[in-house]
Every structure is written in structure tokens, then in C-alpha cells.
Amino acid sequence: MINFKTFFAKKDPLYIKEYKPKKYVKPEKMIDIVSAWQGLEMIIEDIQLQFGLGNNTCIEFGVEFGYSAVVLSNYFNNVIGVDTFEGDIHTTNKNQHYEETQQRLASFNGIKLFKSDYKDWIRRDSEHYDLAHVDIVHTYEDTYQCGLWASQHSDCTLFHDTESYPDVKKAVLDIAKKTGQQIYNYPLHFGLGILVNKRSLRKR
């Protein structure tokens, strides 16, 4: 029997496809620190290869203690990390930790950290990136605003916590509707939304 709900959903260009890695690879460079991002490091190389991403520049909004920034530095020559380093309403650590995180990541080449609110950053940045990663305060408004800019300034945008925060998944879906980009979701490790900017990839 045909599952009509699935049939018509797959005909919808905005249907969220489940991301299915073809391989899992542990990065060579890692840091030993507890992170909700643990597990996702195994699919970054796969994402890069499946979508044909470049390896030059990556921007990350929401560094916290640096776990994902180090992972991304395995695959991109330059990783720009933007964070207030003061926590938010959804984090347990509200202490300022810019210097601490900077020292922790000092030995990893190619990572540059900037203490900035994403709103201030996107007002003055017109660069285009191979990859963007959004893992900021998990409200709809902030995820949408930051994510829309990221999706328009990168070939691929990752959004953490699509499964643990419904507002994040809704924002990613609305950005896909706005931009026409292909949307995927990886359901493990609190969820990773993936938007692929095929238009910009064709221009490379």
C-alpha cells in the first residue's frame, strides 16, 4: 500500500530529507572536553564530500568551549569563530570564557576567535564561506536571523539542535522556504540541520 503522506511529502521541494552519511570518519585533531556536539565530528568529512564543498573558509556562530571549532579546523584552512563567550538563556555556564577558550585553542592552526554578538558581525561581513555553522541561542528569531545571513553567505550551513529545540528546526525550514535551498536533517546527537546552497556551488 502506498503511504500517501510520504509520497506527497517527497514531491514537495521543501520536504526535509534525512541526511544519511556514506561514511564516518573521526578527525585527526580533537579536544578532550564535554560537548553536546560530540558524535557530529564523525560526519563532517562526509558532508564536505557529499556536497562538494571547498576547504578554504568556515565561519561558526556559537563557539562556546571550542569543540566544534577544532573539529571544523580539520577540514577548513581558516575557521572564524564568533561568540559572546558569555553564555545565553539555554546554557549552564554564564561566565565569560573568551580568554579560557582562546588559550585552549591556541595550538590549533587556522582558528581565529572573535568576541562579538552575531548581530554586530553580520552587519559588517560581506564575505562568502565554504561552510557556516550556527549554534547560538536556540530561539526562532535568533536562529532565523543569523541562519538566513549564513545561508546567503555560504555554500552550506549547519544548524545544531534541530531535534532538541523545535524552534531551531522551524527556523531552518523557513530559511529553506525563503532561499530555495535544499534542506536535510541528521537526527542524531540532538539533530543537525543542513542547508545546501546549490546556486552558489554551481558558481565555484
Side-chain angles (χ1 to χ4, degrees), residues 74-197:
N74 285 267
Y75 305 106
F76 299 91
N77 298 328
N78 302 286
V79 176
I80 294 173
V82 179
D83 200 313
T84 63
F85 297 97
E86 296 175 354
D88 58 51
I89 58 172
H90 295 133
T91 60
T92 55
N93 190 323
K94 304 294 192 296
N95 299 322
Q96 294 189 19
H97 53 90
Y98 172 69
E99 288 79 11
E100 175 190 341
T101 304
Q102 194 172 45
Q103 290 175 8
R104 183 182 298 114
L105 305 190
S107 62
F108 297 97
N109 295 329
I111 302 177
K112 293 183 179 179
L113 302 182
F114 295 88
K115 192 176 189 301
S116 171
D117 185 275
Y118 80 86
K119 294 176 184 177
D120 296 327
W121 185 275
I122 65 177
R123 275 197 291 265
R124 55 187 172 83
D125 188 355
S126 59
E127 295 296 321
H128 191 87
Y129 298 89
D130 295 303
L131 181 79
H133 173 227
V134 177
D135 194 4
I136 55 173
V137 58
H138 297 95
T139 64
Y140 174 88
E141 294 77 10
D142 289 299
T143 301
Y144 184 87
Q145 186 175 348
C146 183
L148 180 62
W149 180 93
S151 69
Q152 294 170 334
H153 289 80
S154 70
D155 294 335
C156 181
T157 309
L158 308 181
F159 298 82
H160 190 218
D161 288 311
T162 51
E163 293 300 316
S164 50
Y165 289 90
D167 281 348
V168 172
K169 182 178 279 188
K170 184 178 188 306
V172 177
L173 181 59
D174 287 348
I175 294 168
K177 292 177 181 178
K178 173 78 172 179
T179 61
Q181 295 183 15
Q182 182 64 62
I183 180 172
Y184 297 83
N185 187 63
Y186 183 64
L188 303 181
H189 313 298
F190 305 103
L192 190 71
I194 304 169
L195 286 182
V196 182
N197 189 344

Side-chain angles (χ1 to χ4, degrees), residues 21-38:
K22 295 179 179 178
K23 65 176 183 176
Y24 298 88
V25 179
K26 185 175 181 179
E28 181 181 345
K29 296 180 291 184
M30 300 279 291
I31 56 173
D32 185 17
I33 189 170
V34 175
S35 171
W37 224 73
Q38 285 177 320

